[in-house]
Amino acid sequence: MAQEQKQPRKSSQEETATEEVVESDLAERKEMIDEDVDAILDEIDEVLETNAEDFVKSFIQKGGE
Amino acid sequence: MSVRRVMGTEVEYGISVQGQPAANPMVASSQIVNAYASSTARARRARWDFEEESPLRDARGFDMARQMADPTQLTDEDLGLANVILTNGARLYVDHAHPEYSSPEVTTPLDVVRWEKAGEQIMLDASRMAAQVPGSTPILLYKNNTDNKGASYGAHENYLMRRSTQFAEIVRHLTPFFVSRQVVTGAGRVGIGQDGRDTTPERGFQISQRADFFEVEVGLETTLKRPIINTRDEPHADPAVYRRLHVILGDANLAETSIYLKAGTTALVLAMIEDGFIDRDLTVEGAVRTLREVSHDPTLRQLVTLRDGRRLTAVQLQMEYLELARKHVEDRLGADADEQTVDVLARWESVLTRLERDPMECATELDWVAKLKLLQQYRDRDSLDWDDAKLHLIDLQYSDVRPDKGLYHRLAASGRIQRLLDDQQVEHAMHEPPTDTRAYFRGRCLDKYADAVAAASWDSVIFDLPGRESLQRVPTIDPLRGTRAHVGDLIDRSDTAQALVAAITR
């Protein structure tokens, strides 16, 4: 699982293109990806239930099927 | 030779009463189903009352026969647990301690997605309606399969198959496919072991919600000693011609591509089995153990040992099936293959190719990868170990059915997970039945003649007509009759249920 978050939301065409771009573009791209990660985590931080430990503990189900 | 087949799915939802972990889940599940039943139609509420007031008349209906065959169900019915049929042909009811939505019968993988997603919206609406009851406490619903404390509940698939196919052939060729398909269809889970206690700071994510709950290769059980291949045989159709393959192995998926490929690739493999097309032995040594080992390795490098001694990754094993399916479709249909069959083959190949290169390339399509990516981002930002409660919360909340709280829904809304359908199409399927199976007849009758429908089931619609002493049962034993092509005009023409029944029985 070491490979995560290198290339979120990228199509294969973009990937091929990436190999040809110059260093500065790569840096810029990395910055954009970092910003995107920050944006999604900020968004999810806002909706996550408070007190994770209690919330997870109290989710108790009976078996089904 | 194609993805077309009579299919359907059944999803049991996780349920909790906010702030009341000890609340009775059967009561809460009943509140969900009853809220939806009574808010959506006056006539269906009447039907429910009618059933309770006249239990003997119900003996003519299908549900009674099912009760007699299934004592657990009888107990549920004795408790007055809710059980309704919807205008889209689906069944919404309480199964043990969970609300369950059984989709109508459909014939394509995209329609499996459509009516299963409609079920998610029905559950969402039901929970909102239940919350409007004065004095009620909000009930939260989750489309997942485990509480991480030892309990699991199912997301089952049903595929109609030809009776003439030997069951041993189904077991032989389907087991390796089922052991490996989780790399495409897994929903992702934080927690190792049935109760999650094998989680360590370094090792805590697995591909499948369900893998750790399977203990045998073949069997009839669904709640204990769960088998990879379930042998329940209750076709709800002519048993001389059909069997219903009841698949209990799968995860509850939210990503539309995951659901689509789950139904589509399984249908392709079943077509090959029925056709006797699989010419090689892909039997896996230790299928149950392998199922778990594959699930426990999200890097997808775990090797699977085949009986012939070959060692492959699960992705490579899936590629064996893909290659066979391509040949089968080419052989039997060539250029005449239908659009969805071609599309399923192309997406299956694309997903497997990318999974082999780097699983993260599928983060916008597959549940387990989308979930893992999000978890990994949290781990990196906040330096969290796998046993951190926050990661367990993210796993749980991924499956919350609410659009504002559910993390799948947040990812999909911001374009981080691809959709195959739009909201309007799903909304339509909440109310309208598929047009190409008997679900069309069932759904239209419930919509147009609601007051006259005493009961309905997979294989019948039962009318209570003014002036008739006995109930009129219209059997729908053939899943491919009662379609719009068969009965659309007839229903359009018949202003009343009497006119309809008179025309059918003439």
Side-chain angles (χ1 to χ4, degrees):
Chain A
M1 273 168 283
Q3 66 276 65
E4 279 103 63
Q5 61 155 312
K6 276 192 301 200
Q7 303 168 337
R9 304 181 63 198
K10 270 181 40 172
S11 70
S12 50
Q13 292 96 316
E14 281 176 301
E15 214 174 328
T16 319
T18 312
E19 295 169 3
E20 295 157 15
V21 296
V22 292
E23 286 287 317
S24 62
D25 285 349
L26 274 173
E28 194 178 305
R29 174 151 194 97
K30 174 150 186 350
E31 205 167 285
M32 277 170 63
I33 291 167
D34 287 347
E35 277 170 22
D36 184 56
V37 171
D38 290 345
I40 184 64
L41 295 193
D42 286 349
E43 184 188 327
I44 285 176
D45 279 339
E46 277 176 31
V47 302
L48 276 182
E49 305 284 354
T50 50
N51 200 338
E53 188 147 2
D54 282 355
F55 198 89
V56 166
K57 240 184 221 162
S58 68
F59 183 71
I60 302 163
Q61 300 294 293
K62 286 209 157 81
E65 310 173 71
Chain B
M1 59 236 57
S2 88
V3 293
R4 293 186 61 84
R5 173 174 301 272
V6 175
M7 308 179 266
T9 61
E10 317 163 19
V11 181
E12 297 176 351
Y13 285 73
I15 183 165
S16 73
V17 181
Q18 205 162 32
Q20 298 178 16
N24 182 330
M26 289 195 217
V27 172
S29 298
S30 280
Q31 286 168 346
I32 289 292
V33 174
N34 282 328
Y36 193 81
S38 50
S39 301
T40 48
R42 165 191 55 80
R44 275 191 296 291
R45 188 183 192 176
R47 168 183 166 263
W48 185 251
D49 290 344
F50 166 81
E51 281 188 341
E52 290 196 329
E53 284 166 18
S54 310
L56 286 178
R57 298 184 80 181
D58 193 42
R60 298 156 193 266
F62 164 87
D63 279 336
M64 199 62 192
R66 180 181 158 90
Q67 283 171 357
M68 293 190 307
D70 183 352
T72 328
Q73 203 65 27
L74 183 63
T75 310
D76 286 359
E77 293 293 326
D78 282 351
L79 288 168
L81 296 183
N83 185 350
V84 292
I85 311 263
L86 309 178
T87 58
N88 70 354
R91 181 186 186 204
L92 179 68
Y93 69 119
V94 179
D95 193 11
H96 305 287
H98 302 271
E100 173 162 340
Y101 170 90
S102 299
S103 81
E105 305 90 327
V106 299
T107 65
T108 69
L110 191 60
D111 278 352
V112 169
V113 180
R114 194 186 309 262
W115 272 277
E116 184 171 320
K117 296 306 277 188
E120 292 175 24
Q121 292 306 304
I122 285 167
M123 286 291 177
L124 172 65
D125 276 10
S127 67
R128 286 172 171 167
M129 289 161 182
Q132 283 166 12
V133 175
S136 64
T137 310
I139 296 171
L140 309 183
L141 297 175
Y142 298 87
K143 195 185 184 193
N144 66 358
N145 302 103
T146 180
D147 63 358
N148 244 336
K149 295 166 190 72
S152 185
Y153 32 100
H156 299 172
E157 302 142 66
N158 297 291
Y159 302 91
L160 204 66
M161 294 190 72
R162 289 206 295 258
R163 171 68 62 187
S164 55
T165 306
Q166 292 297 313
F167 197 72
E169 287 298 290
I170 298 175
V171 173
R172 180 168 166 237
H173 296 303
L174 204 52
T175 304
F177 174 73
F178 276 178
V179 165
S180 53
R181 75 168 187 173
Q182 55 181 312
V183 298
V184 177
T185 65
R189 175 181 172 202
V190 178
I192 308 288
Q194 294 192 356
D195 55 11
R197 283 191 194 152
D198 297 340
T199 307
T200 65
E202 299 78 30
R203 174 174 169 273
F205 181 87
Q206 60 173 313
I207 292 169
S208 162
Q209 291 254 312
R210 292 275 279 171
D212 286 351
F213 295 92
F214 282 75
E215 293 170 57
V216 298
E217 293 191 19
V218 184
L220 185 58
E221 310 273 4
T222 60
T223 53
L224 50 122
K225 289 207 174 222
R226 292 184 184 89
I228 293 172
I229 306 278
N230 184 269
T231 54
R232 183 191 294 181
D233 190 358
E234 186 193 9
H236 300 306
D238 183 352
V241 182
Y242 296 116
R243 80 165 72 248
R244 174 174 61 121
L245 182 74
H246 186 58
V247 178
I248 68 167
L249 178 79
D251 288 0
N253 288 115
L254 287 137
E256 293 176 1
T257 305
S258 297
I259 304 173
Y260 179 70
L261 285 178
K262 178 163 61 179
T265 62
T266 303
L268 285 172
V269 172
L270 295 180
M272 291 196 287
I273 295 171
E274 283 183 334
D275 218 9
F277 190 79
I278 302 182
D279 56 0
R280 60 190 89 162
D281 186 8
L282 297 170
T283 302
V284 168
E285 289 291 342
V288 173
R289 177 178 42 82
T290 305
L291 178 74
R292 294 181 189 188
E293 286 172 352
V294 169
S295 182
H296 292 178
D297 177 28
T299 67
L300 303 183
R301 283 180 292 224
Q302 174 68 41
L303 292 176
V304 175
T305 305
L306 304 192
R307 183 180 286 167
D308 67 9
R310 281 196 296 161
R311 285 166 67 78
L312 310 174
T313 65
V315 173
Q316 286 162 349
L317 183 49
Q318 282 285 298
M319 281 173 167
E320 297 264 330
Y321 280 96
L322 166 69
E323 183 196 329
L324 283 164
R326 271 208 181 286
K327 270 193 203 146
H328 189 223
V329 171
E330 180 58 36
D331 255 37
R332 302 294 194 268
L333 298 173
D336 295 332
D338 63 281
E339 204 180 315
Q340 263 189 59
T341 299
V342 173
D343 185 56
V344 167
L345 284 169
R347 283 179 192 268
W348 192 10
E349 178 165 11
S350 161
V351 160
L352 292 177
T353 306
R354 284 177 290 139
L355 283 175
E356 184 152 62
R357 201 162 53 211
D358 174 3
M360 281 304 130
E361 287 185 34
C362 295
T364 62
E365 288 144 281
L366 305 180
D367 275 319
W368 77 266
V369 190
K371 190 185 278 182
L372 176 58
K373 179 174 168 181
L374 184 61
L375 290 161
Q376 196 59 45
Q377 288 169 342
Y378 264 94
R379 275 165 55 81
D380 291 345
R381 189 192 69 177
D382 300 345
S383 306
L384 303 177
D385 289 333
W386 277 114
D387 47 7
D388 194 287
K390 194 165 187 180
L391 299 181
H392 284 270
L393 176 63
I394 290 166
D395 182 11
L396 175 59
Q397 213 175 319
Y398 182 86
S399 65
D400 190 321
V401 301
R402 294 172 295 177
D404 54 330
K405 290 295 239 181
L407 303 188
Y408 161 79
H409 292 287
R410 304 300 299 214
L411 293 174
S414 62
R416 290 176 172 90
I417 290 186
Q418 293 174 22
R419 304 272 313 265
L420 301 176
L421 300 165
D422 60 38
D423 290 345
Q424 284 76 17
Q425 289 170 308
V426 174
E427 163 95 25
H428 182 81
M430 291 171 68
H431 309 289
E432 300 295 329
T435 58
D436 56 357
T437 67
R438 63 187 173 193
Y440 179 80
F441 179 74
R442 182 188 314 129
R444 286 288 317 266
C445 286
L446 279 158
D447 181 46
K448 188 163 181 179
Y449 317 113
D451 289 324
V453 176
S457 69
W458 302 121
D459 53 11
S460 68
V461 176
I462 298 167
F463 293 95
D464 186 11
L465 302 176
R468 301 289 282 265
E469 272 298 301
S470 59
L471 296 175
Q472 305 295 307
R473 184 175 188 273
V474 176
T476 54
I477 196 73
D478 186 342
L480 291 171
R481 294 192 62 84
T483 67
R484 183 165 67 192
H486 288 119
V487 298
D489 287 347
L490 184 64
I491 294 173
D492 288 344
R493 274 204 314 273
S494 305
D495 290 333
T496 64
Q498 290 101 303
L500 177 77
V501 171
I504 289 172
T505 54
R506 189 166 51 214

